Amino acid sequence: MIRLLLGALLWVCASISWAQVLDFSEAETRAILRHGPWPSPWSPDPTNRVSGNPAAIELGERLFFEPRLSPSGKVLCATCHAPFRGWQDGRARAFGLAETDRNTQSLFNVRNNRWFGWDGAGDSLWAQSVRPILEAREMGGSQAEAAALIRRDPELSCRFEKTFGAPPPADDEGVFAGIGKALAAFQETIVSGRTPFDDFRDALEKGDRQAAARYPLAAQRGLKLFVGRGNCSACHFGPAFTNGEFHDTGVPFFLKGGADPGRHGGLKKLQANAFNLLGAHNDDRSGSSAVKTRQVAIEHRNFGEFKVPSLRNVAQTAPYMHNGSLATLAEVVRHYSEINPDRLHAEGESLLKPLHLSAGEAADLVAFLESLSETSSALPPRLPSTACR
Ligand code: HEC
Ligand code: HEC
């Protein structure tokens, strides 16, 4: 009798845990598996000869926290990209020496990007990394002042030499490119950790339903919407939840006295930038890394397009969108639910239709987005810093 009861109890428990995995179709399962594995493989950046170099990482870390890169002495990279706030600032629009027009992007997994900035004005991590030093509203510096700092500070010039194998050169542009490459090497270490979603995805791949059942049902329902009716995966694609491209999602892009041209303006800036991959500072002599930059063409439809952000750790990086206009994930989901197709540009974003989600469905989608938060940090432990030489 007791054995019978125990057996029944076991059966009930087993069927409860079985019941906790939703029925995902084959197509849904394939779509879910494409969002992993995590962490995704990475190899050093061929356009940056010090990518992955420990001396460069250490110099880059110092420069990231160096207020003297701004002649004001008041603004450093970490002012806006605060490590404890998901490498951003929690503000709608970034504020350095003055308020800017855009939201600070998080730096999680920035090494995976193909284009940089909300508008893709950067084609390498190192070129993007020197941009804020020159911006009047961000750090308000110049190439000459940044290069002079490296040459005059014994610690920085020693680390520069250790990194590049030669002391800082006489030309300011050469030193400035080196600053960008060291900053890039440091930022390549900013990788986000494993999430509840990743555990679910891997369990699904292995067919381990018991492990899969640990993933909350609300998140599973939200995931079903994400890869299914919501069509979110079309743009928030792959392990980092971005296709790396630019789209118009109907977020208003008007500014005081004008409009943010988005990708349209970004391409113009990219072509005019001496640090783009077609320029002299690209370390990839094969020329293959510059192909994407040579091939871009500015089209009218690029007006109002912004980069598809990664959604890893997205719950840590409110507020949202290129102008920080949406305060919470619930507001973002409402935006997609009620999207007005007339607001999308003429070519039309056939990928986006108003979803008219119920309150429960909207909450499920938020629960899914929250499950993309790391459960432990993947940042390498920082070694105690010793003086150079
Ligand atoms: C005043 C605030 C501010 C400061 C200071 C700042 N940033 Fe940023 N950062 C931003 C904003 C805003 C963006 C988005 C820029 C755009 O779309 O044009 C951004 C974007 C980036 C990106 C692109 C991320 C991506 O996913 O494409 C990188 C890389 C970056 N910053 C690195 C740095 C480094 C390195 C420094 C220090 C040298 C720095 N930032 C200083 C506000 C700041
Ligand atoms: C047509 C491509 C496309 C589709 C489909 C799409 N997104 Fe986006 N998503 C974007 C772009 C582009 C942005 C940035 C827009 C901006 O800043 O103006 C964005 C921004 C976001 C953000 C804000 C992230 C941040 O860091 O600011 C979230 C969250 C998000 N999308 C979730 C979703 C969800 C959920 C769906 C499905 C209901 C979805 N997206 C469908 C392209 C898309």
Side-chain angles (χ1 to χ4, degrees):
M1 181 67 190
I2 288 186
R3 271 172 71 181
L4 211 69
L5 266 176
L6 216 63
L9 199 69
L10 272 172
W11 182 83
V12 170
C13 290
S15 51
I16 286 175
S17 65
W18 273 67
Q20 280 180 333
V21 183
L22 294 182
D23 228 351
F24 289 99
S25 71
E26 243 174 73
E28 285 169 335
T29 306
R30 269 198 309 276
I32 294 166
L33 296 187
R34 279 198 292 269
H35 288 297
W38 194 259
S40 54
W42 175 81
S43 49
D45 174 1
T47 73
N48 176 359
R49 67 187 184 283
V50 298
S51 171
N53 168 332
I57 295 171
E58 195 161 348
L59 172 61
E61 181 171 13
R62 278 172 191 252
L63 293 173
F64 195 85
F65 295 96
E66 175 55 81
R68 291 175 298 169
L69 280 178
S70 169
S72 71
K74 288 188 190 140
V75 187
L76 42 146
C77 306
T79 304
C80 301
H81 300 285
F84 59 90
R85 263 197 216 106
W87 302 90
Q88 49 97 53
D89 51 12
R91 297 178 49 94
R93 291 169 196 200
F95 196 105
L97 294 169
E99 189 173 55
T100 71
D101 296 327
R102 293 197 184 146
N103 178 254
T104 301
Q105 293 172 296
S106 163
L107 299 180
F108 276 123
N109 311 312
V110 74
R111 69 185 190 185
N112 295 342
N113 290 3
R114 178 156 30 149
W115 303 107
F116 299 83
W118 285 107
D119 57 6
D123 58 0
S124 73
L125 182 53
W126 50 273
Q128 182 71 24
S129 296
V130 288
R131 180 203 65 88
I133 301 175
L134 305 177
E135 284 294 321
R137 289 180 290 178
E138 298 184 37
M139 297 167 81
S142 67
Q143 269 186 36
E145 287 162 299
L149 169 69
I150 304 289
R151 291 193 199 103
R152 110 180 144 250
D153 184 273
E155 184 67 28
L156 292 177
S157 62
C158 171
R159 289 193 184 278
F160 192 98
E161 183 167 353
K162 226 170 142 179
T163 301
F164 295 99
D171 76 305
D172 293 340
E173 198 178 286
V175 181
F176 206 55
I179 292 174
K181 288 173 184 175
L183 281 166
F186 167 62
Q187 294 167 90
E188 284 164 357
T189 66
I190 304 172
V191 178
S192 65
R194 300 260 311 167
T195 69
F197 166 77
D198 297 315
D199 293 342
F200 176 72
R201 181 230 168 253
D202 291 359
L204 216 56
E205 187 172 43
K206 285 191 225 120
D208 182 346
R209 290 182 71 91
Q210 220 159 10
R214 287 188 209 115
Y215 191 50
L217 267 176
Q220 292 186 40
R221 289 190 300 258
L223 171 59
K224 222 180 205 317
L225 280 166
F226 192 87
V227 299
R229 184 158 72 86
N231 203 25
C232 315
S233 285
C235 300
H236 297 284
F237 181 82
F241 293 86
T242 169
N243 61 6
E245 288 302 329
F246 300 81
H247 292 276
D248 175 11
T249 56
V251 175
F253 47 89
F254 299 106
L255 303 170
K256 265 179 252 139
D260 186 333
R263 176 74 163 149
H264 197 271
L267 284 173
K268 286 191 189 158
K269 283 192 195 160
L270 172 70
Q271 291 176 339
N273 189 345
F275 289 108
N276 73 26
L277 292 179
L278 298 171
H281 300 287
N282 181 354
D283 295 325
D284 175 19
R285 292 286 145 232
S286 78
S288 60
S289 58
V291 170
K292 60 178 189 176
T293 306
R294 189 167 292 117
Q295 284 175 345
V296 288
I298 307 180
E299 291 172 41
H300 185 69
R301 67 173 190 94
N302 299 133
F303 206 90
E305 285 183 346
F306 293 91
K307 195 170 74 181
V308 179
S310 164
L311 299 180
R312 287 198 173 263
N313 279 347
V314 71
Q316 289 185 36
T317 61
Y320 302 106
M321 306 312 203
H322 72 274
N323 53 8
S325 56
L326 301 178
T328 60
L329 287 175
E331 279 184 32
V332 176
V333 167
R334 194 176 320 131
H335 167 80
Y336 283 109
S337 183
E338 324 277 278
I339 209 161
N340 178 355
D342 300 340
R343 285 263 287 271
L344 302 173
H345 45 49
E347 276 82 351
E349 285 283 4
S350 52
L351 299 169
L352 288 165
K353 311 237 171 349
L355 299 170
H356 304 305
L357 302 171
S358 70
E361 288 171 325
D364 289 343
L365 206 43
V366 170
F368 164 66
L369 292 169
E370 285 171 347
S371 80
L372 300 177
S373 295
E374 62 189 0
T375 40
S376 63
S377 168
L379 294 182
R382 297 275 164 239
L383 300 169
S385 188
T386 49
C388 191
R389 270 212 183 97

